Structures are given as structure tokens and as C-alpha cells.
């Protein structure tokens, strides 16, 4: 059984600071993190591997080589190998071009299932998994919140999908693409202390334009069909901090605020 | 001896209800607040003690210690369980915890000779409440006052929040009773002062359960004048200004009960209602009217002298309110514990050091710089700062406080976060001649620096251990470094 986890590293938007004077986001020193939905997908794969140690997990990402450190941390978590698809010519790729690059690699390899996230923190279009399914001719489902390991190991997994107010259970023939949601309970474990400095670099394979046999016009801005007309940062208004006492007046003020904003009747 | 035989022997010495082998209680007894997060997550890697025992008398303790000494059973004395440095952590397979639960009597409150005698298991709060009814105070007020017990407070050389006026526990203990591993009971008599050779109280005070079991303590009492309390607060430019004002007050001979300086970061977590991202300086003057007036004057003069660094005076009512809510009750401790089960976070850690006036600002600066540049997880820090809260004529302490997003397995937290941070603080302190442990004791995790802390005087400390506990049955790994304990680091 081989699981491919398609993952992406994104800026940690929770750490974004906003300059209220100039109305711009302060992007300096922003850390990259594993996209939260993708982290759940990897955690789900690790859970499967725990019940079936023969399972091979490969993480695949299209990213600059600067993410190698993050990939190494994943490899220290019982992930078998990492594919880093990296080339300066990929920069500027939209979801269409990204799909093309990823599909090129995935067509060359074998797998039983692709686990990925549903949304990414930065773009959040959720387009790549479904476009990939289209290109590879595979069934695909998003918003997966739970996956049943035993049916998975029998080759026809059943899984729960969250949809607005309901949770529906599906099953699917493999191979398939399942996009996991961060609303699932899957949590990526931490690297154990004794493994923190374990050398795993030999298990990262870097693939460039050339190895994937791509043409220059297939990737980057040239290979993209999306045109960004205009982008802008939403203006935010700085609110003054109000400190209230724990007395009748303070409680009343908090209640009125919650009421006005529809949190309490 | 194996644990079954140990239990069998204990049952011939004690009644059934004096021996606790409940699994959850033994798990709880296997570590203290040093490994609080791993403990809450049920991943402790240390052995469970075989039993917790609750002796009724000094005599019983004497017989228990004699038995453990003869049979190489490790003993961990226990009081209120608020230890923070691993003093209660168990590093031996064959261990019993001797808990002071039943030594819970206030034996005498003598309001003429101004002293109170209590058994080791009396919670400080209980004693304080009793003497307050007589218009008196013990003057001892550690933040753990509601929970910590007199035996533990003496055994750790604890200090309270009013120390600048009343002193640390070592200034308060008049006499005590303690039991040694060979069963010998020593009673140190209660006198106002004497020159009868070295002050042997100090063999028991601060021994952290490594030399003897403290069974009874007599402490001083003081008149209490809460109606005269005056509070002072200032926003100040930097920690150094605060330290200078504290020094000025102290060297001029004034003794405010509280004298503290907070860094911006620490001030922000304590004084959310007025800190304005500045450092904070606070005082409390306490005592009879004349004293308070003089101390208040002294504080104002010192503040005036360093007016350049004083940004703003704070409403004294705000300081008073804050002070009244500072102590940690058992409920606060339990709430933190429950929170740690669910969340990857806790209330943070502290490391308390001391040095002379000239050195403290340097240590502070060096520690901050080194942590920010060297600590591999500096990006996970959510809080890093400190305060000086106990001052003396010749110097002060620095209480480093820090917290972080815990991004590791619970069993690795200490190795990845707290211990490397503590290591930087201790190393920088020792390098400049300060003490690595102002008031929490050495416990088990600072024992790697005990020899460096004491230098050539370690000879005396080691000789005490060899003399009083030659078989090493008292609290294995605490204070004294042990090769065999390194695996729990
Ligand atoms: C929220 C909080 C706030 C704190 N604030 C302060 C503070 O302001 N000032 C301060 O100094 N400390 C403070 N501490 C640390 C702690 O409260 C003190 O070290 C206290 O003295 C421990 O007392 P205890 O009764 O809880 O002892 P325990 O935790 O039970 O034991 C502490 C150590 O003493 C030994 N011991 C206990 N009883 C005896 C005995 N009868 N004979 C011989 N050895 C014994 C134990 O083996 C152990 O090594 C704080 C701790 C917490 C959790």
C-alpha cells in the first residue's frame, strides 16, 4: 500500500501583523508552515501506517528548496520519502499550471491513494485536488473528516465528509484522491527529541523542470491561465482596547456587546 | 528488598489507613511541578514510588527512617506538593513518600514571646489565619501560601512576598525538630539568639529532604497593621532604572515589605490594566504608622532621585487590587493541570537567581541576549521577561519568567524548552558570580550545577550528606548530583 500526500507550505497567516498607519500587511520574517489541512492529511496517512506498518508514505510538494527543513521534519515522523518539485521556472504558476506539474510527476509513479488537504491557508481556491482528479481520471472528494482504516486497508475505504450541517459517509474504489479537512481530528505528531537532528536528507528527491520533461510554456506565468486583475489588502480598523471591571456595569457592557453582534439573544 | 516485601514490612509498622498504594496517587507522587505538563499528559518516565505513608508522630517517622536506612529504601519527604524543581520527583524503584498530612497540629501560639510552634504538615495559610485573629502575622507569604506546608517551606528555604521587611524563612525559624536517617531525633531549642557554635538550624533549613525529615517548626510572629498599608506604583523606562531605585531604598535602610521591578514583558502579563508596554516598579510599605511614614518617604525620595527614568505614577489602588489576587490556591493549580490535559500550553516556567546590585542588570541583559540569539526555539516563545522581587542591602534577585507554544511531544518538553532556557540562565548567573537558586531550591534538575554553585564550599555540603545520610537514602538525586539520575534528564 502506498499513500502519496500532496502537501504545500504556506505563510503562517496567523502571524501576519498589520500596519494600521500604512494599511499594509507586514510580511517580513513571516514563517512558512505546513498548510493545516495538509497536516491533517499527513496525520491521517501516519495513522494508517500505524495499523499497517508496511504502508509506504510519500509526501510530494511543489515548492522552493528552502522548505527542505520542513520536509526533513516530516521524514523524521515515519514518512518514507519526500519529493520536492522545485524549479525557479515554476514560480508564478496558477492552479492550472501547478496541476499540470504535479500530474506529470504523479503519472510517473504508483500509488493507491492520494491524500491532500481541502483548502490552503493562502490561496484557498481548493482547485488543485479536483483538477488533478480530472487530469488523472480519479474519483475525488473534499472535506473528509474521518477515514476508516480497516476498510481502507481492504481497498475500498469508507470515509466521512462534512457538508454544512450534516456528515455523510461515502466509500470509494481506489485509487482515489481524498482531500482532508482541518476539521478532522487528525493531528500531526511532533518529532521526538531523540530524532530532532537525525539525518534524513538522503530521502528527499528533488525534481526540476528537466526531470519532469516539462516545456517552458507549460509552467510559471506563461503556463497559467489565471489573470489577476487587481489585488488589494482589506483595510482594517484598529479598535481601542476597553478594560472593564468585574462588576454589574462591566458585565452589562459585555452582554450588550455580545447582543449587538448577535452572539447572545 | 522488593516492593512486595517492602509493603509487607510497612504494614507491620503502620495501620492500613496510613499506607496508600492507590495507583493514581502514586503516579501523582512520582513527579512535581517541574514535569507538570508531561505529568498531566500521563507520559512520565520515572518510576512510581511503592507507597505513600502518613505517619502520626515523630516517633513513627524515626522508626520508618531507621527501617529505610537499614534496607536501602529511598525516602521522599512531602508537604504541600508545590515543589517546582523536581524535589518530589522519584528516581528510584524502591521508594516511599513520607507525607506530613497527619502532622497537622498547631502546637502553640505564644503571643507574648511572639512565636508559634507547628507540626510540619500545617499549611501556612492555616497558621497565618490563626495568628491574624490575634492581630499578628508570620510575615511569610509565598505565592503558594494557600497550599504549601511549614515543613516544605523550611526544607526549601522558601521566601515570601513581604521578604524585604520580614526576611526569608531562615530569618523566621526560631527552632525546629528533625529526624535523621538513623532514627535520631534532634530538637533545636527556641531562643532569641545564641553563639553556641555554628547555627545548626541551617543544616535542616533548605535540606530539601536530603539530610533529615523536619517534623516541627517554631517561627517568629509579628504585629500586623494592615490598616496602615501603603502602595506605590510607577511606570519606568527600563529594568535598570527599577533596580537603581530598589537599591536606593534598601541602602538607605528602608524596609518596604514589597519592592519589585518588572520588565515590560512581565509587566504586561501582571498589570494588563495599566502597563502601557513599560516596565513597572512597585512598593508596599507596611508596619506601624511611624514606620510606614518613614518608608513611604524613603520610597518617594528614591523615586525623585531617579526621576529621569520614571515615566508615570500609577494609582496606588491598582497596585493594592493586584496584590490581593496574587496567590495561587489549590484550585488555581488544579485548573492549570486540567488545562494542560486538553491544550498544548501551560502557565509558563520560572528560574530565580540572585546577585549583587552591580551584577544583576548584567545577568539580565546577558540572559535576554543569549536566549534570543541562541535558543533554537526562540520563535516559539510567547513570553520572556523577569522581575526583581526580593531585595537586600547588598543585592537582589531576578525571577526570570517565560512561556512558549509547546511544539513537541509532552515527554520532550523539558528537554526542548524549559531546561535549555534554565541552562542559559544558570550559566550566565554562575559566570558572573551570582547564585542559580534564589528560593526554589536546587531540586533534581539544577543538581548538575550544585558543585559549581558552591565551589570549594561543596566540600562542606558533601560532608554533611556523608555524615547524616551515609547510605544516601534521603531524596536520591535532589541537590546532590547522581550519575544514575542522568537518564531522567
Ligand atoms: C504557584 C506557586 C507559587 C510559588 N511561590 C513561591 C514563593 O513565592 N516563594 C517560594 O519560596 N516558593 C514558591 N513556590 C515554590 C514552593 O511553594 C516552595 O518551594 C514551598 O516551600 C514548598 O512547600 P511544600 O509544602 O509544598 O513542599 P513540597 O513541595 O511537598 O516539598 C518541597 C521539597 O521539600 C522537601 N520536604 C517537604 N517536606 C519536608 C519535611 N517535612 N522535611 C524535609 N523535607 C521536606 C521535599 O522532599 C521537596 O524536596 C511556589 C510554588 C508554586 C506552585
Amino acid at each position: 500500500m502506498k499513500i502519496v500526500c500532496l502537501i504545500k507550505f504556506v505563510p503562517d497567516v496567523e502571524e501576519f501583523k498589520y500596519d494600521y498607519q500604512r494599511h499594509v500587511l507586514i510580511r517580513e520574517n513571516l514563517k512558512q508552515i505546513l498548510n493545516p489541512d495538509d497536516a491533517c492529511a499527513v496525520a491521517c496517512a501516519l495513522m494508517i501506517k500505524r495499523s499497517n506498518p508496511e504502508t509506504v508514505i510519500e509526501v510530494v510538494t511543489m515548492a522552493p528548496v528552502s522548505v527542505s527543513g520542513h520536509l526533513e521534519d516530516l521524514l523524521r515522523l515515519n514518512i518514507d520519502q519526500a519529493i520536492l518539485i522545485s524549479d525557479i521556472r515554476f514560480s508564478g504558476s496558477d492552479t492550472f499550471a501547478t496541476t499540470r506539474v504535479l500530474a506529470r510527476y504523479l503519472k510517473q509513479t504508483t500509488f493507491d491513494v492520494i491524500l491532500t488537504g481541502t483548502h490552503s491557508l493562502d490561496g484557498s481556491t481548493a482547485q488543485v485536488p479536483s483538477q488533478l482528479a480530472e487530469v488523472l481520471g480519479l474519483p475525488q472528494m473534499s472535506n473528509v473528516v474521518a477515514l476508516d482504516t480497516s476498510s481502507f486497508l481492504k481497498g475500498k475505504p469508507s470515509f466521512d465528509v462534512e457538508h454544512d450541517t450534516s456528515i455523510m459517509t461515502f466509500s470509494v474504489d481506489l485509487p482515489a484522491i481524498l482531500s482532508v479537512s482541518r476539521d478532522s481530528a487528525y493531528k500531526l505528531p511532533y518529532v521526538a527529541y531523540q530524532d530532532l537532528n537525525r539525518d534524513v536528507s538522503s530521502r528527499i528527491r528533488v525534481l526540476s523542470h528537466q526531470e519532469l520533461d516539462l516545456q517552458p510554456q507549460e509552467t510559471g506565468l506563461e503556463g497559467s491561465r489565471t489573470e489577476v486583475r487587481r489585488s488589494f489588502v482589506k483595510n482594517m480598523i484598529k479598535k481601542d482596547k476597553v478594560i472593564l471591571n468585574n462588576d454589574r456595569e462591566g458585565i452589562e457592557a459585555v452582554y450588550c456587546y455580545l447582543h449587538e453582534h448577535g452572539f447572545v439573544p | 528488598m522488593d516492593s512486595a516485601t517492602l509493603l509487607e514490612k510497612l504494614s507491620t509498622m503502620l495501620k492500613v489507613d496510613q499506607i496508600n498504594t492507590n495507583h493514581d496517587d502514586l503516579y501523582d507522587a512520582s513527579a512535581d511541578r517541574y514535569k507538570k505538563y508531561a505529568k498531566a499528559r500521563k507520559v512520565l518516565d520515572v518510576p512510581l514510588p511503592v507507597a505513600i505513608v502518613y505517619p502520626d508522630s515523630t516517633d513513627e517517622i524515626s522508626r520508618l527512617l531507621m527501617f529505610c536506612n537499614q534496607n536501602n529504601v529511598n525516602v521522599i519527604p512531602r508537604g504541600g506538593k508545590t515543589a517546582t524543581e523536581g524535589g518530589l520527583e522519584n528516581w528510584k524503584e524502591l521508594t516511599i513518600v513520607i507525607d506530613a498530612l497527619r502532622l497537622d497540629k498547631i502546637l502553640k501560639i505564644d503571643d507574648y514571646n511572639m512565636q508559634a510552634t507547628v507540626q510540619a504538615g500545617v499549611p501556612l495559610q492555616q497558621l497565618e489565619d490563626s495568628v491574624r485573629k490575634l492581630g499578628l502575622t508570620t510575615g511569610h507569604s509565598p505565592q503558594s501560601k494557600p497550599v504549601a506546608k511549614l515543613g516544605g517551606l523550611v526544607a526549601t528555604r522558601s521566601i515570601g512576598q513581604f521578604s524585604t521587611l520580614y526576611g526569608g524563612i531562615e530569618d523566621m525559624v526560631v527552632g525546629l525538630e528533625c529526624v535523621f536517617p538513623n532514627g535520631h531525633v534532634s530538637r533545636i531549642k527556641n531562643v532569641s539568639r545564641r553563639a553556641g557554635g555554628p547555627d545548626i538550624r541551617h543544616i535542616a533549613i533548605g535540606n530539601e529532604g536530603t539530610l533529615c525529615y523536619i517534623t516541627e517548626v517554631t517561627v517568629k510572629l509579628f504585629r500586623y497593621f494592615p490598616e496602615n498599608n501603603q502602595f506605590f506604583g510607577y511606570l519606568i523606562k527600563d529594568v535598570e532604572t527599577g533596580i537603581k531605585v530598589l537599591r536606593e531604598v534598601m541602602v538607605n535602610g528602608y524596609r518596604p515589605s514589597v519592592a519589585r521591578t518588572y520588565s515590560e514583558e512581565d509587566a504586561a502579563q501582571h498589570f494588563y490594566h495599566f502597563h502601557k508596554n513599560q516596565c513597572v516598579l512597585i512598593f508596599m510599605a507596611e508596619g506601624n504608622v511611624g514606620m510606614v511614614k518613614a518608608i513611604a518617604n524613603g520610597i518617594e525620595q528614591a523615586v525623585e532621585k531617579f526621576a529621569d527614568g520614571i515615566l508615570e505614577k500609577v494609582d496606588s489602588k491598582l497596585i493594592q487590587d493586584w496584590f490581593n489576587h496574587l496567590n495561587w490556591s489549590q484550585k488555581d493549580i488544579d485548573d492549570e493541570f486540567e488545562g494542560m490535559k486538553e491544550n498544548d500550553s501551560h502557565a509558563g516556567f520560572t528560574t530565580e537567581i540572585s546577585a549583587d546590585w552591580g551584577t544583576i542588570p548584567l545577568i539580565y541583559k546577558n540572559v535576554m541576549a543569549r536566549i534570543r540569539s541562541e535558543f533554537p526555539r526562540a520563535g516559539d516563545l510567547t513570553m520572556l521577561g523577569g522581575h526583581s522581587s526580593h531585595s537586600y542591602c547588598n543585592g537582589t534577585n531576578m525571577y526570570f519568567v517565560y512561556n512558549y507554544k509547546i511544539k513537541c511531544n509532552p515527554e520532550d518538553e523539558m528537554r526542548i524548552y524549559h531546561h535549555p532556557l534554565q541552562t542559559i540562565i544558570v550559566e550566565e548567573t554562575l559566570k558572573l558570580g551570582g547564585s542559580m537558586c534564589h528560593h526554589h531550591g536546587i531540586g533534581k534538575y539544577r543538581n548538575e550545577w550544585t558543585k559549581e554553585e558552591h565551589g570549594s564550599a561543596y566540600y562542606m555540603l558533601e560532608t554533611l550528606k556523608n555524615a547524616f545520610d551515609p547510605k544516601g537514602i534521603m531524596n536520591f538525586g535532589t541537590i546532590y548530583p547522581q550519575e544514575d539520575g542522568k537518564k531522567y534528564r
Side-chain angles (χ1 to χ4, degrees):
Chain A
M1 171 77 66
K2 179 176 166 191
I3 303 175
V4 164
C5 292
L6 272 188
I7 59 170
K8 178 179 181 184
F9 295 91
V10 294
D12 188 358
V13 290
E14 277 178 22
E15 302 280 312
F16 264 141
K17 295 214 170 65
Y18 190 77
D19 182 333
Y20 288 98
Q21 250 107 50
R22 298 189 297 132
H23 289 293
V24 287
L25 288 172
I26 303 166
R27 294 169 195 267
E28 281 90 66
N29 299 326
L30 212 57
K31 275 197 318 235
Q32 294 278 314
I33 56 163
L34 177 58
N35 181 48
D37 282 22
D38 303 353
C40 294
V42 178
C44 177
L46 285 169
M47 176 199 72
I48 294 164
K49 187 164 172 141
R50 270 197 299 278
S51 18
N52 181 30
E54 259 95 85
T55 308
V56 172
I57 306 176
E58 175 179 287
V59 291
V60 176
T61 189
M62 183 172 140
V65 280
S66 58
V67 304
S68 303
H70 292 289
L71 289 177
E72 286 180 10
D73 275 345
L74 290 178
L75 291 167
R76 293 182 181 113
L77 285 177
N78 211 11
I79 302 282
D80 299 276
Q81 59 215 36
I83 303 294
L84 172 56
I85 302 177
S86 191
D87 198 306
I88 187 75
R89 280 169 287 186
F90 296 146
S91 81
S93 298
D94 68 352
T95 61
F96 179 80
T98 302
T99 303
R100 179 183 277 146
V101 176
L102 292 173
R104 188 66 59 90
Y105 169 69
L106 293 166
K107 278 180 183 166
Q108 296 178 1
T109 190
T110 56
F111 54 83
D112 296 283
V113 70
I114 294 175
L115 294 181
T116 186
T118 299
H119 289 279
S120 67
L121 267 193
D122 54 350
S124 204
T125 61
Q127 289 166 350
V128 172
S130 38
Q131 288 175 174
L132 259 181
E134 192 67 23
V135 177
L136 299 174
L138 298 176
Q140 188 263 341
M141 266 311 230
S142 295
N143 287 323
V144 173
V145 289
L147 192 117
D148 172 55
T149 313
S150 65
S151 58
F152 181 88
L153 293 172
K154 285 182 197 137
K156 188 163 181 158
S158 69
F159 55 91
D160 292 345
V161 167
E162 195 166 279
H163 183 265
D164 290 338
T165 52
S166 61
I167 290 182
M168 291 173 281
T169 304
F170 293 86
S171 67
V172 68
D173 288 319
L174 294 182
I177 302 181
L178 297 177
S179 308
V180 182
S181 154
R182 91 190 72 160
D183 294 329
S184 65
Y186 301 122
K187 193 169 173 237
L188 200 60
Y190 292 106
V191 179
Y193 177 74
Q194 63 275 15
D195 292 335
L196 279 177
N197 298 314
R198 189 152 57 93
D199 184 9
V200 290
S201 52
S202 63
R203 288 195 271 133
I204 301 180
R205 206 175 131 211
V206 184
L207 298 178
S208 67
H209 227 262
Q210 200 183 347
E211 275 106 10
L212 293 176
D213 203 14
L214 287 154
Q215 300 307 308
Q217 66 277 13
E218 287 184 296
T219 63
L221 282 176
E222 222 184 313
S224 297
R225 301 218 172 152
T226 316
E227 252 181 61
V228 179
R229 283 285 172 87
R230 188 169 77 94
S231 81
F232 57 91
V233 177
K234 211 173 121 196
N235 273 8
M236 292 204 245
I237 303 159
K238 187 169 191 177
K239 301 235 173 86
D240 279 337
K241 196 152 82 175
V242 182
I243 293 171
L244 300 159
N245 289 329
N246 189 3
D247 53 19
R248 282 196 79 82
E249 224 170 278
I251 293 167
E252 187 66 25
V254 172
Y255 179 80
C256 287
Y257 178 87
L258 294 174
H259 179 67
E260 262 170 42
H261 290 78
F263 291 111
V264 292
Chain B
M1 181 176 288
D2 60 17
S3 31
T5 323
L6 171 57
L7 280 175
E8 202 185 299
K9 295 278 182 199
L10 287 174
S11 67
T12 63
M13 303 167 73
L14 299 164
K15 294 189 284 293
V16 182
D17 64 354
Q18 288 179 286
I19 305 170
N20 182 354
T21 55
N22 174 287
H23 181 271
D24 289 350
D25 293 340
L26 295 181
Y27 178 80
D28 175 54
S30 64
D32 57 30
R33 291 177 57 79
Y34 183 83
K35 286 191 182 159
K36 59 184 178 182
Y37 182 60
K39 186 174 179 181
R41 293 299 185 91
K42 295 265 188 271
V43 294
L44 285 175
D45 56 354
V46 289
L48 301 194
V50 176
I52 305 163
V53 297
Y54 308 103
D56 279 320
S57 63
T58 300
D59 229 34
E60 256 174 16
I61 292 178
S62 167
R63 270 182 274 128
L64 276 168
L65 287 185
M66 230 179 333
F67 163 79
C68 290
N69 200 32
Q70 275 156 14
N71 295 286
N72 290 317
V73 177
N74 183 43
V75 171
I76 301 181
R78 190 169 86 168
K81 299 198 292 178
T82 61
T84 56
E85 305 299 322
L88 295 177
E89 193 169 306
N90 179 32
W91 282 1
K92 281 276 190 193
E93 294 295 334
L94 212 59
T95 294
I96 62 164
V97 171
I98 303 187
D99 191 298
L101 185 75
R102 294 181 174 204
L103 301 177
D104 59 353
K105 285 168 205 61
I106 297 179
L107 300 172
K108 189 173 182 189
I109 295 176
D110 181 346
D111 62 350
Y112 187 76
N113 294 310
M114 299 296 271
Q115 55 196 29
T117 302
V118 296
Q119 289 186 308
V122 171
L124 174 58
Q125 186 77 60
Q126 193 184 326
L127 175 62
E128 185 66 23
D129 291 347
S130 304
V131 302
R132 285 280 178 92
K133 288 181 194 144
L134 305 170
L136 304 175
T137 176
T138 61
H140 201 42
S141 188
Q143 243 188 310
S144 53
K145 177 164 73 178
V147 190
K149 298 180 176 178
L150 263 301
L153 289 158
V154 173
T156 51
R157 278 183 84 85
S158 62
I159 200 162
Q161 295 156 107
F162 309 126
S163 69
T164 324
L165 176 61
Y166 298 103
I169 193 81
E170 68 277 15
D171 303 303
M172 300 166 173
V173 172
V174 185
L176 54 82
E177 179 190 77
C178 59
V179 189
F180 289 92
N182 63 2
H184 179 83
V185 179
S186 286
R187 286 187 67 84
I188 302 177
K189 68 182 175 187
N190 299 323
V191 286
S192 49
R193 187 187 188 268
R194 60 175 159 164
D199 192 338
I200 49 178
R201 287 175 296 187
H202 292 283
I203 293 171
I205 300 173
N207 89 80
E208 295 184 51
T210 64
L211 301 176
C212 61
Y213 197 105
I214 299 163
T215 45
E216 188 188 297
V217 181
T218 299
V219 290
K220 293 175 189 166
L221 297 174
F222 304 88
R223 279 259 163 86
Y224 189 51
F225 305 94
E227 64 284 3
N228 299 338
N229 289 352
Q230 279 194 36
F231 297 85
F232 303 82
Y234 306 89
L235 301 186
I236 56 172
K237 205 174 71 186
D238 48 25
V239 172
E240 233 174 315
T241 302
I243 300 281
K244 280 186 189 149
V245 180
L246 293 180
R247 179 186 171 278
E248 184 69 14
V249 170
M250 295 305 292
V251 299
N252 283 331
Y254 298 108
R255 294 291 174 266
S257 54
V258 178
R260 294 181 169 211
T261 284
Y262 286 80
S263 74
E264 293 94 326
E265 305 83 357
D266 202 6
Q269 67 162 2
H270 277 275
F271 311 110
Y272 67 93
H273 44 325
F274 65 77
H275 66 88
K276 298 186 182 167
N277 293 320
Q278 304 295 345
C279 294
V280 167
L281 170 70
I282 58 170
F283 291 100
M284 171 174 163
E286 184 184 332
N288 63 50
V289 176
M291 233 169 104
V292 169
K293 209 167 146 203
I295 295 167
N297 250 330
I299 292 168
E300 278 160 358
Q301 276 165 19
V303 166
E304 189 53 41
K305 180 166 174 184
F306 294 96
D308 282 355
I310 309 286
L311 305 174
E312 202 177 297
K313 193 167 175 11
V314 176
D315 179 1
S316 61
K317 177 82 176 52
L318 294 174
I319 311 292
Q320 183 173 8
D321 282 352
W322 169 77
F323 218 87
N324 290 339
H325 299 101
L326 199 53
N327 286 345
W328 275 55
S329 64
Q330 188 61 51
K331 184 171 181 309
D332 296 321
I333 294 175
D334 293 345
D335 284 351
E336 190 199 17
F337 196 77
E338 286 306 309
M340 288 186 291
K341 287 184 185 167
E342 302 282 316
N343 309 311
D344 294 352
S345 64
H346 50 52
F349 275 104
T350 61
T351 295
E352 20 64 65
I353 59 103
S354 64
D356 58 34
W357 291 114
T359 310
I360 277 284
L362 288 175
I363 296 176
Y364 182 76
K365 213 168 77 198
N366 296 351
V367 165
M368 291 295 145
R370 225 182 117 187
I371 290 178
R372 293 207 172 100
S373 66
E374 219 177 85
F375 177 51
R377 301 282 182 122
D380 295 340
L381 287 169
T382 53
M383 151 78 194
L384 171 66
H387 61 261
S388 153
S389 44
H390 305 276
S391 284
Y392 312 89
C393 178
N394 57 338
T396 188
N397 81 313
M398 182 50 67
Y399 201 73
F400 288 97
V401 288
Y402 36 93
N403 206 348
Y404 36 79
K405 291 183 194 146
I406 307 173
K407 293 188 179 170
C408 67
N409 296 327
E411 60 272 30
D412 294 333
E413 187 226 351
M414 298 322 254
R415 294 184 190 112
I416 291 179
Y417 293 98
H418 179 43
H419 198 66
L421 287 165
Q422 189 164 60
T423 300
I424 292 176
I425 296 167
V426 168
E427 284 177 359
E428 289 306 313
T429 303
L430 293 176
K431 207 189 288 173
L432 294 183
S435 167
M436 65 167 178
C437 39
H438 175 262
H439 64 263
H440 283 165
I442 290 178
K444 291 196 173 64
Y445 290 89
R446 284 193 274 194
N447 72 5
E448 61 179 288
W449 301 286
T450 305
K451 287 182 184 166
E452 218 182 315
E453 166 74 23
H454 287 279
S456 56
Y458 183 71
Y459 165 74
M460 297 166 77
L461 208 63
E462 200 175 27
T463 305
L464 285 176
K465 184 75 173 171
N466 292 338
F468 291 116
D469 182 25
K471 294 176 85 177
I473 62 140
M474 296 295 286
N475 211 345
F476 177 81
T478 292
I479 299 183
Y480 298 90
Q482 295 290 350
E483 203 47 43
D484 198 30
K486 284 189 179 160
K487 57 178 180 279
Y488 299 118
R489 268 193 205 298

